[in-house]
Amino acid sequence: MQSTPGQFAPQPEDRFTFGLWTVSNRGRDPFGAETRPPLDPVDAVRLLADCGAYGVNLHDNDLVPIDATPAERDQIVRRFRQALDETGLQVPMATTNLFFDPVFKDGAFTSNDARVRAYAVQKTMRSMDLGHELGAHVYVFWGGREGVEVDAAKSGRDGVKRFRDALNFLCDYSLDQGYDYQFALEAKPNEPRGDLYFPTTGHYLAFIETLAHPEMVGVNPEVAHETMAGLSFHHGVAQAIDAGKLFHIDLNDQKPGRFDQDLRFGSESIKQCFFLVKLLEDSAYAGMRHFDAHAYRTEDYEGVKDFARGCMRTYVILKEKARQFNADAEIQGLLAEIAVDDPDLDALTATYSKENARRLGERVFDRQQIGAHRLQMERLDQLTIDLLLGVRG
Amino acid sequence: MQSTPGQFAPQPEDRFTFGLWTVSNRGRDPFGAETRPPLDPVDAVRLLADCGAYGVNLHDNDLVPIDATPAERDQIVRRFRQALDETGLQVPMATTNLFFDPVFKDGAFTSNDARVRAYAVQKTMRSMDLGHELGAHVYVFWGGREGVEVDAAKSGRDGVKRFRDALNFLCDYSLDQGYDYQFALEAKPNEPRGDLYFPTTGHYLAFIETLAHPEMVGVNPEVAHETMAGLSFHHGVAQAIDAGKLFHIDLNDQKPGRFDQDLRFGSESIKQCFFLVKLLEDSAYAGMRHFDAHAYRTEDYEGVKDFARGCMRTYVILKEKARQFNADAEIQGLLAEIAVDDPDLDALTATYSKENARRLGERVFDRQQIGAHRLQMERLDQLTIDLLLGVRG
Amino acid sequence: MQSTPGQFAPQPEDRFTFGLWTVSNRGRDPFGAETRPPLDPVDAVRLLADCGAYGVNLHDNDLVPIDATPAERDQIVRRFRQALDETGLQVPMATTNLFFDPVFKDGAFTSNDARVRAYAVQKTMRSMDLGHELGAHVYVFWGGREGVEVDAAKSGRDGVKRFRDALNFLCDYSLDQGYDYQFALEAKPNEPRGDLYFPTTGHYLAFIETLAHPEMVGVNPEVAHETMAGLSFHHGVAQAIDAGKLFHIDLNDQKPGRFDQDLRFGSESIKQCFFLVKLLEDSAYAGMRHFDAHAYRTEDYEGVKDFARGCMRTYVILKEKARQFNADAEIQGLLAEIAVDDPDLDALTATYSKENARRLGERVFDRQQIGAHRLQMERLDQLTIDLLLGVRG
Amino acid sequence: MQSTPGQFAPQPEDRFTFGLWTVSNRGRDPFGAETRPPLDPVDAVRLLADCGAYGVNLHDNDLVPIDATPAERDQIVRRFRQALDETGLQVPMATTNLFFDPVFKDGAFTSNDARVRAYAVQKTMRSMDLGHELGAHVYVFWGGREGVEVDAAKSGRDGVKRFRDALNFLCDYSLDQGYDYQFALEAKPNEPRGDLYFPTTGHYLAFIETLAHPEMVGVNPEVAHETMAGLSFHHGVAQAIDAGKLFHIDLNDQKPGRFDQDLRFGSESIKQCFFLVKLLEDSAYAGMRHFDAHAYRTEDYEGVKDFARGCMRTYVILKEKARQFNADAEIQGLLAEIAVDDPDLDALTATYSKENARRLGERVFDRQQIGAHRLQMERLDQLTIDLLLGVRG
């Protein structure tokens, strides 16, 4: 697989989007000051257009400062709108910043303070208005401060209950306003709080079923967040797809068991990213492929462009490899050999009936013989590695 | 809190149970041979009775060898029944061993081999018969081999689908047989497989909602399993309780980020175990408190008794500390100060209406003032530590 | 163990110190702004004195801004000196901030830029001057930016080599100036860099032996840093003590496998902290007990005091429990039973000689019998838990 | 990089070796029985020869059962010798099994039982005799049981001391016998014990300097073991090379933060394995490239061959990619741009003198300007990813 110029360039149909906050990230971290100057949102839009992105997503305060007057807000939005129109970039998703301001120091929807809970709902309503105005159809909820360090102070049951109350209210608000939002819930196990409620995509998938409008709520899994807990990211995504709940996805990369790194997509866990891309493409996922990552703190804004281009390029390369995998005769032959089909047996267990149960109960299985079936997993995995390393035809 | 003799002894109302496999564990590990001789199930029952346990749970093959004839099976069960009757021990829960035999080397319900899938269902039916015969009302599913090392071989979506098919069939089997089983699903992130499907309790809670009989299926969270992934165990349990799905619980202990240790309850993460016990007691959890742990490999069967007694003792001590916490005037006063209630605001967001939305939208919040509210979390947490260390009145 | 007023108050002989940066931490994190106003260093000194601390440690820029003129610097130091004199607080340790300024974005001593490397050495010399002026005898090196995200850019071998060059130069500078500094190297596995060189105390202990003046260099292990990697903290400290290299220690707390939390000492891992305190006290560690932690972001400065007092209080409680452990007849009796001494055998293997080797070679050991010795670890561990929970006499 | 037949075949100069225990691993794990029949050591040798390995390493009991009589032992060795001669395979390394038998349930060299400590030394002497007889020049020490679950039972300081006593004795034994062994110490953080002493290669590098014969002792780092703790494996290896102590290396693969997986080399962490291979090749490492891994439990012995071949193949592919990296003009140009050399400054800090210190102290650095130097790490890292994925020329 030799690269030709432009071969792995992003295409509009790839639906590659970036958060406004990702390319505008200034490189501050817990032990260091900013290394990049502020980036005007309008310049961020142009930078992304330049790199070939399809869209840009935002938190309310990525664009409009928390203290802006209505008039300032409108002018900022107008100017931003203009940049979108000039560049053709879409705003497919919006979300609320419920974590930066000290008012949220002990959570937003799940705070122990009734005023904070109400203010968080109000702030989200306004942010939903903004997102709608910019054309967003997906609204993401990441509960950055919804959790605790001190479990003595707040019951986990209250956390769940309060989050549900807020979501139910906001679903109704969306419906009442005639917004066609799909809500997408984004899990994270910890950081910045000691432990966050709903630590994985699984926990949110479960929570959705307890809402008043489950049909309008899905998930926004993020590579880094599930990987921090050492979970298989694409297994979680597969379960979300199975449940019809993959409304959005956050692509980046991460080493397990450490701080939230938000690395360039595919820069760390090549094999896992391959299976993720393969899953999305094989499932004909129609949503946005959103990169929620940022450039290393060492970079200037040229490096930020390298970062943005790299995210998309690696996705496209892995998409091509997924196509190869599906077309590879040796691999597909091996897969056929590994699986043992038996339609009669499948029929027996597909639907319960007394008769099926009786027949299954009487069936004699030869454990030793079945257990001896060759599975050839080492060979299959090595072929995958060869394909990833580009040493197959 | 000075201990008096017998003060922390287990009581029948504590519903303390142990797996037959836990006290019978012989100390084998991946790098070492067994250090304890085999323990006859009847002796295991007596050992547990001796220690004050309420019940004993089992996998089919803990009691009946996988190759036993029906006649052998019946005789084994009769003898076991007798030991139960003599000691008064209950069998509240049963489960299936779908992981030890080589036939399950690539999974059971989710195997790529239709024969394995069908055999796993058959084996579970028979094990459900056995459990019912012994009086069990909870049936646990731990998918010890339901996962992969080689993602190329099996799609995560197939894993979910196949597991659902099996569960649906077995729910119907239970209903059809007139068994009153509650099914309890037990998650684990990895080990023995590279990655297991449904890695956390959250994933199972979500999966249940996709079943044909969700009402009869709940979860069986295990301390060690969620802790391996570094998640807050009692947060997950709180969500299960919120959903009405805590049907069973597996108590033990574990260090995060390593192999499955199944340590004596409360021997490692004292603070987390305290909040778990407090949650169960405050929620008036009525199910079994099941210890799924085993003694260190260094121990003989006297040490196994020390282990079993220690599990129960520490639970009872922590239960007493939870009572103290709830009765401690300084702690309760602090909790009251920390929270800020505002019934009017709560009423506004409790139920959506255009009017409520309008009024909330118009409300002016003083961010700085609200953000400055003293939360005193360090003080509250130190009081908790003092209480745990036994240096409060 | 009932608490009486003042019973667990810090004493000067406990040598409890805090970093100036710890109580001055303003609660900023990667996802949130500062929640506390700036704290004048002089007020930090008073706050610590108020809480009963013995001393205060500092980075150069905790006290003197990086851009201060010499005159400004001298005035700041004079004012700080005065606060020390008023309160009686000592400055036993100093260190350099080589991580906050953008100039260090790719490391300090190990940067790929010769100018950065030289500037880092210059900055450290000046900071050593400052520390000496304030009376410090220990000089800590934490290489906060010494590492990489992009391994392609820098060889790990160069990292080691450059760090050594800097340390050798600075050792000579210390000697040449007549400072009596002991250098103490502080390891961390990651954060803020993707991977940091010398990720554990073990790596630094090894590195020291390759220096020109190994005798003046030791380690400064930090609870949180080793715990991030899931290692047993007190085992690492034990090895440092064995090597005569425990020159300083950073006490705090941390959950494994996540971001650097710097929690209040003893607030998370009670059992591990107990064994650490026991090790330090049993070893008659004569150095500072330095708390490198900070209050939760939810706190105001009253909460910061609660935090500082809590760190010291829990240490003192655990010290008392260590004393109890050593005096507990049942525990000590059990320890005597567990161990099997055999002075003749020990003598045989203590020193090699042909004769000893021959005699050892001929010795017949009864593996089964030796392997059957009762170890009673479950009982011993439960007694420890009982003692920690305060339910022993 | 298109593969031609035989292009990535192992060569004798690659010095690829496998443990006898690796290909003979029968697929048992903590939750499942063996899936493969026993493999005669002689057949293991033939299997490895068949796959193109250079050598085979062994624990004493991989070949000779722990209870064998001297006559049985001699016959077994003779037969094994014959297989080696037939196939041309070497035995470059030997080691002792000090973990499987129950006698070692609480450790070997660090046991609390003097008889166990002495027996472990005796067993190692005999195993060293065997290794020497088979031609081994490297002797590995992995302290599989040297650790604790119950810290109350054994002091970490005793652990270090006892391990040193044993090593000192055995160094002398080697010298006295005229064996030319290099000892290589292999670290692991945990499993099978709760915590193992000397958890990382860094800890062993430090420990070596406290031995009586440090010059004959080095390290044997293992990919999986350091990766379990989430550490950068090749940074640790780089430090070992810097110290002249890389005497042997164990290649395999592993996901961080979980049980010891011993996966096929390069099957999981492609990028990390690439930098490891690059480091070994760039450093002209002359020792064995030993694979300490085993086939998935799903495999039969054909799959074991696939596994063994895959380990070597991926190494050779990555070696070729390392060569490409070093020859890539764009990458090398970028590296030259990233680094800033300044021989004058380097000379100033290379060796301390009063004059150099004075001149360095007076030097004025322009922090802003230096900090603004473009580092282009995102671009460099993307080029590395492209190279790994085979999409560069």
Side-chain angles (χ1 to χ4, degrees), chain C residues 66-67 101-103 105-106 112-119 121-122 125-126 148-153 156-157 160-161 164-165 168-169 172-173 176-177 189 195-207 209-210 226 229-232 234-236 238-239 241-243 271 275 279 282-283 325 335 338-342 345-346 348-354 356-357 360-365 367-375 377 380-381 384, chain D residues 66-67 101-103 105-106 112-119 121-122 125-126 148-153 156-157 160-161 164-165 168-169 172-173 176-177 189 195-207 209-210 226 229-232 234-236 238-239 241-243 271 275 279 282-283 325 335 338-342 345-346 348-354 356-357 360-365 367-375 377 380-381 384:
Chain C
I66 195 168
D67 280 322
D101 193 87
V103 74
K105 66 187 179 184
D106 190 36
N112 276 326
D113 188 325
R115 299 166 302 175
V116 177
R117 295 194 295 271
Y119 171 62
V121 172
Q122 184 199 61
M125 288 161 61
R126 288 181 186 166
V148 287
E149 290 80 33
V150 177
D151 278 304
R157 295 177 67 186
V160 174
K161 199 185 157 309
R164 181 166 45 233
D165 288 347
N168 282 341
F169 187 93
D172 277 324
Y173 179 72
D176 188 32
Q177 296 290 316
D195 286 292
L196 290 165
Y197 300 133
F198 309 108
T200 78
T201 293
H203 291 82
Y204 266 134
L205 286 172
F207 170 71
E209 300 305 315
T210 73
E226 314 279 320
L231 305 182
S232 164
H234 79 275
H235 284 190
Q239 189 176 347
I241 291 174
D242 173 84
K271 196 180 180 185
F275 283 113
L279 173 66
D282 287 354
S283 306
F325 184 98
L335 284 171
I338 288 173
V340 175
D341 291 331
D342 189 325
L345 272 179
D346 282 345
L348 220 51
T349 56
T351 320
Y352 184 84
S353 70
K354 264 190 209 307
N356 280 351
L360 178 61
E362 288 169 0
R363 180 80 172 231
V364 178
F365 294 95
R367 252 172 42 239
Q368 276 73 23
Q369 185 240 327
I370 298 172
H373 180 60
R374 287 193 63 200
L375 295 186
M377 297 283 183
L380 176 62
D381 196 72
T384 307
Chain D
I66 195 168
D67 280 322
D101 192 86
V103 74
K105 66 186 178 183
D106 190 35
N112 276 326
D113 188 326
R115 300 166 303 176
V116 177
R117 295 195 296 270
Y119 172 63
V121 172
Q122 185 200 62
M125 288 162 61
R126 288 182 185 165
V148 288
E149 289 80 31
V150 177
D151 278 303
R157 296 177 66 187
V160 174
K161 198 185 158 309
R164 180 166 45 233
D165 288 346
N168 281 341
F169 188 95
D172 276 324
Y173 179 72
D176 188 33
Q177 295 291 316
D195 287 291
L196 290 164
Y197 300 133
F198 309 108
T200 77
T201 293
H203 291 82
Y204 266 135
L205 287 171
F207 170 71
E209 299 305 315
T210 73
E226 314 278 323
L231 305 182
S232 164
H234 81 274
H235 284 190
Q239 189 177 347
I241 291 174
D242 173 85
K271 195 180 180 185
F275 283 112
L279 172 67
D282 287 354
S283 308
F325 183 99
L335 284 171
I338 287 173
V340 175
D341 291 333
D342 187 325
L345 272 179
D346 282 345
L348 219 51
T349 56
T351 319
Y352 183 83
S353 70
K354 263 189 208 310
N356 279 351
L360 178 61
E362 289 170 357
R363 181 79 172 232
V364 177
F365 294 95
R367 254 174 39 240
Q368 276 73 21
Q369 185 241 325
I370 298 172
H373 180 59
R374 287 195 61 201
L375 295 185
M377 297 284 180
L380 176 62
D381 195 72
T384 307

Side-chain angles (χ1 to χ4, degrees), chain B residues 20 40-50 56 80 83-84 87 89:
Chain B
L20 196 49
D40 188 309
V42 159
D43 292 330
V45 166
R46 285 179 191 141
L47 183 155
L48 283 171
D50 218 46
V56 60
F80 188 69
L84 294 172
T87 57
L89 251 67

Side-chain angles (χ1 to χ4, degrees), chain D residues 251-264:
Chain D
L251 303 172
N252 54 18
D253 217 334
Q254 171 77 26
K255 298 196 187 197
R258 58 183 70 186
F259 71 102
D260 187 13
Q261 297 186 286
D262 285 343
L263 298 167
R264 195 178 76 253

Side-chain angles (χ1 to χ4, degrees), chain A residues 4-162:
Chain A
T4 56
Q7 187 185 358
F8 301 118
Q11 303 300 328
E13 60 267 26
D14 288 320
R15 295 289 187 265
F16 289 139
T17 62
F18 286 82
L20 194 50
W21 67 93
T22 66
V23 289
S24 306
N25 179 292
R26 297 181 53 202
R28 171 142 189 159
D29 71 27
F31 299 92
E34 292 80 357
T35 59
R36 291 185 283 267
L39 185 68
D40 188 309
V42 160
D43 292 331
V45 167
R46 286 181 189 138
L47 183 156
L48 283 171
D50 218 47
C51 294
Y54 170 80
V56 59
N57 304 316
L58 76 179
H59 301 89
D60 48 356
N61 303 138
D62 295 341
L63 182 60
V64 182
I66 195 167
D67 280 323
T69 64
E72 289 165 349
R73 182 252 190 222
D74 289 346
Q75 199 203 335
I76 289 167
V77 173
R78 212 157 33 234
R79 208 172 141 255
F80 188 69
R81 176 78 272 164
Q82 209 167 1
L84 294 172
D85 292 343
E86 275 170 28
T87 57
L89 250 67
Q90 305 296 310
V91 177
M93 178 271 270
T95 184
T96 331
N97 185 327
L98 296 172
F99 44 85
F100 192 79
D101 192 86
V103 74
F104 300 123
K105 66 186 178 183
D106 190 35
F109 298 148
T110 66
S111 168
N112 276 327
D113 188 325
R115 300 167 301 175
V116 176
R117 295 196 296 271
Y119 171 63
V121 172
Q122 184 200 62
K123 189 171 193 289
T124 303
M125 289 162 61
R126 289 182 185 164
S127 177
M128 287 168 65
D129 300 342
L130 171 65
H132 178 73
E133 186 178 342
L134 293 170
H137 298 294
V138 171
Y139 201 86
V140 162
F141 291 81
W142 172 58
R145 297 273 169 204
E146 313 294 10
V148 288
E149 290 81 32
V150 177
D151 278 304
K154 203 190 295 182
S155 138
R157 296 177 66 186
D158 282 344
V160 174
K161 199 185 156 308
R162 290 173 183 167

